[in-house]
Amino acid sequence: MSSPSGDLAPPTMGLWRRLTLTPWLAVMLGLLCLALILINSYVDEDRPFVAGSGLGPAADWHDAWLWPWQPPANGITQPGSAYTPRYRPLTITSLALNHALGGWHPFGFHLLNLLLHGGACCLVWHFTRRLLNDRAAASIAATLFATHPIHIDAVAGLLGRAELLMTFFLLVGLVILLPRGGRSNPRRALLASPFFLAALLANETAVCYLPIALLVLAAVPRPGRGIRWWLAHVGSLLIPLLGYSLLRGMALGWRLFAVDPIDPVLNPLAAAPPFEHYLGVLTIVGHYARLLVMPDQLSSDYSLGAFTASADITAFTLYGAIAVAALCCALFGFTRRGAVWRRLALVAGIALLAYLPVSNMTWSLDVAMAERLLYWPSVPLLILAAIGISEFWRRQCVSGAQLAKSARLFAILGILFVASFVLRSAVRTLDWYDSATLVSRDVIAQPRSLRLNIAYARDLLLNAERVTDSATRSALIDEARERLTVALDVSPASADALAWRGLVCSHDLDIDGAILYAEAALIIDPFHRSAQQVLNAVYSGVPATERRLVDLQGAIEAAPDDIELHLKLGTLLLSIGQPTLALPHLQQAVTGNPDDMDALRKLGLAQ
């Protein structure tokens, strides 16, 4: 039989209905479309995360509970570097357990992430089922959550472990808080408290649990609630927050909020004026809204360049304004009598509260935007989508309704939609195979990202040092130069971009340029290793001039009309004291481009 909400009684279900109207389909899809992460290696951001966690003997695990933790930049703690301390002992302990059971091999770390995602899919179903008393909506929400490609960032990368653990424990606590029929009571709130505490110990943004729990208790009808009932529930729900504040205060020296400066490259909002800051917050909402609806251009990085705080109103700003306005309008459903309106209002309120801690509205995070940050807030947002889909089906597609004849077509379209999510998630999982693969894919999605361009240029230069074919080596170096040009256009004061640009100059045997870029990088960061290595290489005569001469001569033989190659060869010959040999190449470069002042200057020197 069907309840008024469309919920089906389990005893009457056939095999297909038992599969589609229970959590198992979502769990299987979630595990299936992300299973390829088990063959993945570490990516660059995983390495400092694991190295900074202090993994080692069991005797060292207690440090995670007594000291603040933050992964050092590039896995190396640099003197004078600013960082924002975090207190996430449960996340660090989970990494230590991974290491204790499977060593440093990435399989065990990825396996636990995958299992946590599968568990979260199951819990999304149970939470939705108890919140709405609707199996169909629960199945839709859990399936969307299980297969949505935006969650790959949290599951495939080890940095997402904090989001996975937080979401898992928050959902466990909310499921316990919401009884399956019957009344909620203070004892259930007390039983849920340890799980809310575990969520806080995994990720501090779980602080949203308290208003969400109170909203759920207020919105779900329960008879016999008085002031004592509320005081008992509030008291039980405050216990995790008080316990976490005490532990965090002891570990961080009673600094409950970080005071260290935030890197403006990672979060351009941190140093933006108030108007640009809050306009940027709205623009980020627009980016998230687009990714939830159309997750085609996914990226592991949204740092400076990919996102820049400004006073300009873009299409994403408008998307964000529409999304926020829609959620706020949904809150008026509390004033309506219809059950559907009240459900929409309830879930919209949960969505706003879940997103607030990662919105950069109340405080600035280490990053302006990251797909992994949407792992928990996406739960209520996808529940909203499930409510809309299930209500559309019941009102328009059941027997006798206006679109009943098209019900089969809508069902097929729904299956194809989920299949597209599964396929996109599987393909995106392969992008996370290793750092080089991830960067090469993401720089296409975010071609202006400072960090992605620098990382891609680094990989290109490292590959150039391994290949023996001169044409391939030159092509790799040229591509690296273009990427670093973009990076320096985004941030001329980037020490990383300057250092790697110096390495490109050293490959071109532009000694003056290599020294100039490397020294500029060291002015910004006196301890920059790459810049120091460039200077050491230049002063020790590496790379060999002879090898570079042979490479350029071979390239010119293959492309005799390439004026850029002639300019490079002429510059190199001029730098090693061969102006006579440089002259014809520089003359050809000037003939091909008479407005090139650099070529004219070098031709004058050769003459």
Side-chain angles (χ1 to χ4, degrees):
M1 294 179 61
S2 298
S3 70
S5 67
D7 196 14
L8 299 179
T12 66
M13 291 185 189
L15 178 61
W16 175 244
R17 286 188 176 274
R18 286 182 182 276
L19 182 63
T20 56
L21 296 178
T22 57
W24 304 119
L25 178 63
V27 173
M28 287 189 296
L29 286 175
L31 295 177
L32 177 65
C33 64
L34 275 73
L36 291 175
I37 68 168
L38 298 177
I39 67 173
N40 288 356
S41 181
Y42 294 119
V43 298
D44 274 350
E45 289 191 340
D46 290 342
R47 301 179 194 279
F49 185 67
V50 173
S53 64
L55 304 185
D60 296 334
W61 292 2
H62 72 283
D63 288 347
W65 296 81
L66 299 177
W67 302 99
W69 170 85
Q70 176 72 14
N74 301 320
I76 303 165
T77 302
Q78 299 178 351
S81 61
Y83 66 91
T84 303
R86 289 286 177 261
Y87 185 64
R88 299 177 178 178
L90 193 60
T91 299
I92 305 308
T93 300
S94 74
L95 294 172
L97 287 171
N98 266 137
H99 176 263
L101 295 174
W104 294 103
H105 196 281
F107 176 84
F109 294 90
H110 291 314
L111 177 61
L112 183 53
N113 274 19
L114 182 63
L115 294 177
L116 285 170
H117 178 64
C121 297
C122 182
L123 289 165
V124 167
W125 190 93
H126 284 287
F127 173 60
T128 309
R129 165 71 175 82
R130 297 192 180 195
L131 189 68
L132 305 179
N133 191 29
D134 187 341
R135 286 179 177 272
S139 296
I140 295 170
T143 301
L144 292 175
F145 180 84
T147 59
H148 205 295
I150 202 172
H151 295 149
I152 304 300
D153 192 15
V155 183
L158 294 187
L159 276 175
R161 177 69 63 85
E163 274 66 38
L164 294 172
L165 286 170
M166 177 189 72
T167 302
F168 182 86
F169 287 117
L170 281 177
L171 287 170
V172 172
L174 290 170
V175 168
I176 292 175
L177 193 65
L178 286 171
R180 187 177 175 180
R183 302 180 179 180
S184 179
N185 55 67
R187 184 170 63 87
R188 299 190 72 89
L190 196 60
L191 289 174
S193 292
F195 296 98
F196 291 140
L197 176 60
L200 286 167
L201 293 173
N203 190 335
E204 61 278 350
T205 56
V207 69
C208 64
Y209 86 91
L210 181 58
I212 289 175
L214 294 176
L215 177 62
V216 167
L217 289 173
V220 177
R222 293 287 184 269
R225 294 183 297 189
I227 186 66
R228 293 179 60 184
W229 186 92
W230 276 110
L231 287 176
H233 276 80
V234 171
S236 299
L237 293 172
L238 278 174
I239 292 174
L241 192 58
L242 295 174
Y244 172 75
S245 298
L246 178 63
L247 292 171
R248 181 184 174 90
M250 293 173 61
L252 300 184
W254 303 105
R255 288 189 307 159
L256 297 185
F257 296 96
V259 297
D260 297 282
I262 294 173
D263 188 350
V265 171
L266 296 175
N267 188 351
L269 295 178
F275 177 76
E276 293 182 8
H277 179 98
Y278 291 110
L279 196 65
V281 168
L282 203 60
T283 303
I284 290 173
V285 174
H287 280 282
Y288 282 141
R290 179 192 171 279
L291 289 175
L292 282 170
V293 175
M294 192 169 57
D296 55 336
Q297 297 291 323
L298 298 171
S299 176
S300 59
D301 180 83
Y302 293 91
S303 60
L304 186 65
F307 173 80
T308 303
S310 71
D312 297 331
I313 296 178
T314 66
F316 288 107
T317 312
L318 298 177
Y319 298 158
I322 293 171
V324 172
L327 288 174
C328 292
C329 288
L331 295 178
F332 286 101
F334 284 123
T335 65
R336 305 287 294 270
R337 291 186 177 182
V340 175
W341 284 107
R342 294 186 64 83
R343 288 179 182 177
L344 289 173
L346 170 60
V347 180
I350 295 173
L352 289 170
L353 292 172
Y355 180 70
L356 188 61
V358 298
S359 66
N360 281 282
M361 177 68 75
T362 51
W363 60 78
S364 294
L365 304 178
D366 285 342
V367 293
M369 175 182 175
E371 290 167 13
R372 64 179 179 273
L373 298 182
L374 212 62
Y375 191 78
W376 160 241
S378 70
V379 172
L381 293 172
L382 295 175
I383 294 175
L384 281 173
I387 294 174
I389 293 170
S390 60
E391 287 301 318
F392 171 80
W393 182 269
R394 289 176 184 134
R395 293 169 186 258
Q396 302 293 332
C397 299
V398 297
S399 179
Q402 185 176 1
L403 300 176
K405 294 181 180 180
S406 303
R408 185 183 296 272
L409 175 62
F410 284 120
I412 293 173
L413 290 175
I415 293 172
L416 292 176
F417 181 77
V418 172
S420 70
F421 269 19
V422 171
L423 181 61
R424 181 70 180 100
S425 293
V427 171
R428 180 60 180 164
T429 300
L430 293 175
D431 291 347
W432 283 76
Y433 178 74
D434 59 19
S435 295
T437 304
L438 182 64
V439 169
S440 65
R441 299 289 193 276
D442 288 1
V443 78
I444 298 173
Q446 297 294 340
R448 293 282 295 172
S449 167
L450 174 65
R451 297 178 73 218
L452 288 176
N453 276 288
I454 293 173
Y456 190 39
R458 175 204 62 194
D459 290 341
L460 290 169
L461 290 172
L462 293 177
N463 289 334
E465 294 177 356
R466 300 188 188 105
V467 300
T468 56
D469 180 66
S470 60
T472 302
R473 185 187 307 117
S474 295
L476 291 171
I477 293 173
D478 289 342
E479 176 66 14
R481 182 186 298 105
E482 292 178 10
R483 292 296 174 180
L484 291 170
T485 299
V486 174
L488 288 171
D489 180 55
V490 172
S491 177
S494 169
D496 288 331
L498 289 167
W500 288 104
R501 189 67 176 84
L503 183 59
V504 169
C505 291
S506 72
H507 277 285
D508 291 336
L509 286 185
D510 180 3
I511 306 303
D512 292 338
I515 294 174
L516 178 67
Y517 280 112
E519 289 183 344
L522 290 173
I523 291 173
I524 298 169
D525 181 0
F527 300 95
H528 202 286
R529 294 177 83 189
S530 298
Q532 293 172 344
Q533 290 169 355
V534 169
L535 288 180
N536 291 337
V538 168
Y539 290 133
S540 62
V542 178
T545 303
E546 193 172 317
R547 188 187 74 178
R548 184 59 176 160
L549 281 171
V550 172
D551 289 347
L552 286 172
Q553 288 167 350
I556 288 175
E557 288 178 5
D561 296 328
D562 192 324
I563 60 173
E564 187 68 25
L565 290 175
H566 282 286
L567 178 59
K568 289 180 180 179
L569 182 56
T571 301
L572 176 57
L573 291 168
L574 190 63
S575 68
I576 60 175
Q578 298 288 341
T580 303
L581 296 177
L583 194 59
H585 295 288
L586 293 172
Q587 286 174 336
Q588 188 160 344
V590 170
T591 301
N593 187 4
D595 297 326
D596 189 339
M597 297 305 297
D598 183 50
L600 286 168
R601 181 180 62 83
K602 290 174 180 176
L603 176 60
L605 290 174
Q607 290 172 336

